[in-house]
């Protein structure tokens, strides 16, 4: 075996990897406020107008990536909004995805990575977005963090 070994009596830590189809869906999704949405990109682009300082995009819709009834989604989203407001932050309405997978979400300027992770975990999400400026991270829950860029798109054309 090459590389360092775990200390005696300890096991190496491993992060679960997201399902490849789910990962592809998250990477293809548009995120953010209506009219100011972004896609995740491996290369930088223009900085989104809303991306100054740290931010998170979180939702309570469709826990565990399973479609839930709209009424349950709306109730969970209200509880998430209350958690964000209780943290003293001022979120903006946002949308993740489109079509049947369009989910109400919150763009939370000033959020920390720990807050974004905590909210996502509390509401059964597979991942959340966290960023600073246009630098973004797709944060799998639990699991790895994929670093990328938040690049503005024209929603009319999806590019």
């Amino acid at each position: 075996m090459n590389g360092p070994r775990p200390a005696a009596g300890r096991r190496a830590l491993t992060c679960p990897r997201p399902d490849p189809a789910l990962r592809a869906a998250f990477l293809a999704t548009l995120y953010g406020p209506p009219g100011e949405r972004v896609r995740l990109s491996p290369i930088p682009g223009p900085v989104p107008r809303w991306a100054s300082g740290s931010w998170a995009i979180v939702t309570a819709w469709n826990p565990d990536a399973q479609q839930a009834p709209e009424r349950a989604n709306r109730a969970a989203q209200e509880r998430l909004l209350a958690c964000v407001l209780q943290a003293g932050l001022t979120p903006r309405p946002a949308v993740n995805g489109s079509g049947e997978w369009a989910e109400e979400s919150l763009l939370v300027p000033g959020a920390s990575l720990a807050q974004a992770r905590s909210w996502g975990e509390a509401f059964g999400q597979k991942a959340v977005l966290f960023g600073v400026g246009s630098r973004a991270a797709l944060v799998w829950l639990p699991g790895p963090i994929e670093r990328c860029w938040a690049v503005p798109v024209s929603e009319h054309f999806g590019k």
Side-chain angles (χ1 to χ4, degrees), residues 9 27 31 38 62 66 70 73 101 128 136:
L27 291 173
Y31 301 91
V38 298
N62 301 321
Q66 300 296 312
E70 185 172 342
N73 282 330
W101 281 100
V128 295

Side-chain angles (χ1 to χ4, degrees), residues 37-131:
R37 296 177 79 196
V38 298
R39 66 179 170 81
L40 301 178
S41 172
I43 56 174
V47 177
R49 288 181 295 203
W50 47 260
S52 62
S54 68
W55 52 269
I57 296 178
V58 295
T59 187
W61 280 56
N62 301 321
D64 203 32
Q66 300 296 312
Q67 286 190 319
E70 185 172 342
R71 186 174 182 174
N73 282 330
R74 290 196 185 284
Q77 191 70 10
E78 286 297 319
R79 291 191 306 275
L80 172 61
L81 176 60
C83 290
V84 171
L85 293 172
Q86 186 175 20
L89 298 169
T90 305
R92 291 180 56 188
V95 178
N96 297 346
S98 59
E100 69 177 323
W101 281 100
E103 302 174 334
E104 290 182 16
S105 62
L106 300 173
L107 167 62
V108 188
S112 69
L113 174 57
Q115 287 171 313
R117 231 188 236 281
S118 176
W119 295 324
E121 289 170 347
F123 289 91
Q125 298 302 302
K126 292 287 191 180
V128 295
L129 291 184
F130 173 77

